[in-house]
Amino acid sequence: MLRAKTGTLTGVNSLAGTVVDPSGRLLAFAFLTAGAPDGPAAEKGLDKLAAAVATTS
């Protein structure tokens, strides 16, 4: 289970939240991009990072 909140400003995107990994541990994460030329692409990248945390034990 992954729960997260996004934040955006001009040129800045963030994603922070918690995830339960496959072994049952609760993990917290925070990712931030700055100066990304394509905001929607940056958001997709942050989503992929969070998904990677969720599937790695």
Side-chain angles (χ1 to χ4, degrees), residues 19-27 50-57:
V19 63
V20 177
D21 75 0
S23 64
R25 295 179 300 170
L26 178 64
L27 306 173
V53 170
T55 58
T56 304
S57 57

Side-chain angles (χ1 to χ4, degrees), residues 7-15 31-36 38-40 42-43 46:
T8 56
L9 294 170
T10 302
V12 178
N13 301 85
S14 64
L15 182 67
F31 303 117
L32 175 73
T33 66
D38 184 355
E43 290 176 16
L46 295 174

